[in-house]
Amino acid sequence: NVYYLRGFPARGDLFLDGIRDIGEYNRDLFNVEQVEVLKGPSSLMFGRGSTAGIIHQQSKTPTLWPIQELGLTLGSEEKKRLTADLNVKTAESHAFRLNALVEDSGYYRYPQDVEKLGVAPSLRLGIGGGTDVTLSYYYLKTRDVTDYGQPTLFTAGTGFFGLAPVSPKTYYGFANHDFTEHETNMATMRVDHRVSDAVSVRNTLRWANFQREMEATIPSL
C-alpha cells in the first residue's frame, strides 16, 4: 500500500503502536482499533520524517471487558470476508484477546482475486496496575495480483498520449504468471510502568519478518 499525505508519499511515516512500521506488506485493519492521521511536521513526537505528517495505527489490545464479535462481509465481485474478535478475562488484572481474518474475494478486473489469512493473539498482564505488560503476535498472509491498470499510449512528439480504447475490466498482464504474495510476522512486547500519577515510562520491543514475492507485467503499447 502506498499512502500520500499533502502530496508527499508516506512510506516512511507509517507507525504501528508508536513504532515506525516500514515493512512492505499489504496492511489490513482486522487487528487495528483506530487510525490516527497527523498532518504537518511530526519530528517532535516521532523523529525524523517527511514534512507531510504521519499515519499511526493502534492495535487492538486485551481489556477487562468481554468481547465476542463475528463479522461477515458479502458483496459484489464475489466478496467474502470473515473476521473474529474474542477477548477473555483470565484473572483479576489479566486478559487474552484473539483477532482473526479469512478472506477470499474476487475483483472486477480478472484475475485480481484477493486471498487473506490473518491471526493476532495478545496477552496483557497487570491491567490497571503499576506495571502493565502486553505480549502480542501478528501474522498476515496475502495473495493477489499486482495490477498496473490499462495500457497507455505514447508518441514521440507529445510523450503520454492517453489510454488505449480497451475494456477496463480486462487484466492486461500475464494472467498465468503474474502474482504477488506477502507473509508478515511480528512479535511485540510492551511494558508500561507508572512511576507516579504524572510520570510513566514505556518500553516497546518488536521483532518483525517480512517476505515478499511478486512478478508483475506493466502493460504498454
Side-chain angles (χ1 to χ4, degrees):
N1 307 90
V2 180
Y3 305 96
Y4 286 83
L5 285 175
R6 305 168 67 201
F8 294 89
R11 286 188 180 92
D13 299 301
L14 300 176
F15 289 79
L16 179 62
D17 300 326
I19 296 181
R20 200 178 298 270
D21 185 27
I22 60 175
E24 293 189 9
Y25 65 101
N26 288 338
R27 293 164 176 81
D28 194 277
L29 298 178
F30 81 99
N31 191 50
V32 174
E33 190 73 44
Q34 65 182 30
V35 178
E36 304 164 345
V37 179
L38 175 62
K39 294 184 178 181
S42 57
S43 60
L44 179 64
M45 297 176 59
F46 293 93
R48 181 179 178 179
S50 71
T51 59
I54 64 104
I55 300 176
H56 183 236
Q57 308 157 86
Q58 183 173 322
S59 300
K60 297 179 180 179
T61 56
T63 69
L64 297 179
W65 301 97
I67 298 176
Q68 296 180 0
E69 295 182 357
L70 191 65
L72 176 63
T73 303
L74 301 175
S76 57
E77 309 299 340
E78 300 181 351
K79 175 78 172 184
K80 300 181 292 294
R81 177 183 171 95
L82 180 66
T83 59
D85 187 355
L86 175 65
N87 186 90
V88 179
K89 181 180 178 181
T90 58
E92 186 65 26
S93 59
H94 306 338
F96 174 80
R97 190 168 185 175
L98 176 64
N99 284 274
L101 159 72
V102 176
E103 180 173 349
D104 185 6
S105 301
Y107 192 64
Y108 80 98
R109 194 196 308 269
Y110 174 85
Q112 191 84 351
D113 295 335
V114 177
E115 298 178 5
K116 295 183 179 180
L117 175 63
V119 59
S122 55
L123 177 65
R124 189 175 174 188
L125 309 174
I127 301 176
T131 302
D132 190 326
V133 180
T134 303
L135 305 173
S136 61
Y137 196 85
Y138 179 91
Y139 174 81
L140 178 63
K141 184 175 183 178
T142 63
R143 177 179 175 85
D144 52 23
V145 177
T146 298
D147 189 355
Y148 282 94
Q150 297 175 248
T152 53
L153 299 176
F154 290 85
T155 64
T158 61
F160 176 70
F161 185 76
L163 297 177
V166 292
S167 173
K169 292 187 176 182
T170 304
Y171 180 73
Y172 296 98
F174 291 100
N176 296 327
H177 299 281
D178 292 354
F179 70 95
T180 301
E181 296 182 359
H182 295 85
E183 188 170 6
T184 302
N185 291 271
M186 286 189 288
T188 306
M189 180 180 69
R190 189 181 71 184
V191 180
D192 292 277
H193 180 68
R194 187 170 66 247
V195 180
S196 64
D197 293 338
V199 179
S200 63
V201 179
R202 169 178 294 179
N203 181 70
T204 304
L205 176 65
R206 173 171 296 154
W207 168 89
N209 179 267
F210 307 96
Q211 295 186 19
R212 178 188 183 193
E213 296 184 17
M214 66 174 295
E215 182 173 338
T217 304
I218 301 178
S220 61
L221 294 176

